[in-house]
Amino acid sequence: MSANPITVAVLVFYLLVLIGIGFVSTKKSSGGLSDFFLAGRGLGKFTVALSAVSSGRSAWLVLGVTGTAYATGLNAVWAVAGYITVEVFMFFYVAKRFRVYSEKTGSITLPDILENRYEDKSNLLRITSSLIIIFFMIAYVGSQVVAGGTAFSSSLGLSQSNGMWLTAIIILLYTMLGGFHAVSKKMFCKLCLCFYL
């Protein structure tokens, strides 16, 4: 299968912009752990919320929900309704409390928050919550890389494994360079690409 030259050009431009965002964000993310992992707590609510939804749900939303809708029809509406309800609850009720508490205690991660909140000196909460997060993040990131491989395979004619390698390299590059600031800013590039397609 040969890829459309315009599609290739737009995709290459998009990937170069992602890497550029990583380089530009390096300066803003190099002030310490809080700058790298939380973008210095300086991003607006809308940017953080949109980034979380677009990054965290991209492959599931684009491939999973459409596949479910194709396979089951209107039953997919229930999955979307449940998902939206949980997201709204999390952003309006839980996230605000986490933000306030994490700033007050200097916590960066969810294990930090749990350990500080329950004054766990044994590190049991930190270790348990970290293992749970690692387990689910491996499955989540793996599915994102597979989805990226599928997208590159169908749009550029690459093999599935080469598409997965390309996805992993791009994600690692801009995330390691710019941290959460780069991840949040790439969301605007995704929106622009969606408008083009």
Side-chain angles (χ1 to χ4, degrees):
M1 170 182 5
S2 61
N4 184 327
I6 295 173
T7 303
V8 172
V10 168
L11 191 57
V12 167
F13 177 73
Y14 171 69
L15 297 177
L16 290 174
V17 167
L18 285 181
I19 293 170
I21 287 171
F23 277 111
V24 169
S25 299
T26 300
K27 188 177 274 188
K28 295 181 180 182
S29 298
S30 60
L33 288 177
S34 180
D35 284 348
F36 185 82
F37 288 112
L38 302 176
R41 300 182 195 267
L43 296 176
K45 295 175 189 177
F46 180 73
T47 303
V48 172
L50 202 53
S51 173
V53 172
S54 73
S55 295
R57 317 311 178 253
S58 52
W60 178 83
L61 207 55
V62 173
L63 301 176
V65 172
T66 53
T68 301
Y70 178 77
T72 65
L74 284 176
N75 288 336
V77 171
W78 291 110
V80 173
Y83 167 74
I84 290 171
T85 303
V86 169
E87 285 290 330
V88 167
F89 174 76
M90 293 298 290
F91 280 117
F92 283 107
Y93 298 103
V94 178
K96 185 175 182 180
R97 293 179 71 188
F98 273 20
R99 167 90 186 229
V100 169
Y101 188 80
S102 70
E103 266 185 288
K104 188 170 78 171
T105 61
S107 301
I108 294 175
T109 64
L110 187 56
D112 287 341
I113 291 172
L114 292 173
E115 187 175 67
N116 289 328
R117 171 70 177 87
Y118 295 105
E119 299 176 4
D120 180 29
K121 305 299 182 200
S122 67
N123 287 331
L124 184 62
L125 269 176
R126 176 182 293 278
I127 292 168
T128 305
S129 59
S130 296
L131 289 174
I132 292 168
I133 290 169
I134 289 169
F135 175 78
F136 285 104
M137 285 304 290
I138 287 172
Y140 163 72
V141 172
S143 68
Q144 297 295 323
V145 171
V146 169
T150 302
F152 283 131
S153 175
S154 63
S155 62
L156 298 181
L158 296 175
S159 69
Q160 178 82 17
S161 61
N162 286 341
M164 288 169 60
W165 278 110
L166 182 58
T167 301
I169 289 167
I170 295 295
I171 291 171
L172 280 172
L173 192 57
Y174 78 78
T175 303
M176 288 173 62
L177 286 171
F180 185 62
H181 192 270
V183 172
S184 296
K185 297 302 177 187
K186 71 111 170 78
M187 169 265 310
F188 292 108
C189 292
K190 271 187 175 180
L191 291 176
C192 293
L193 186 65
C194 287
F195 286 127
Y196 165 77
L197 297 174

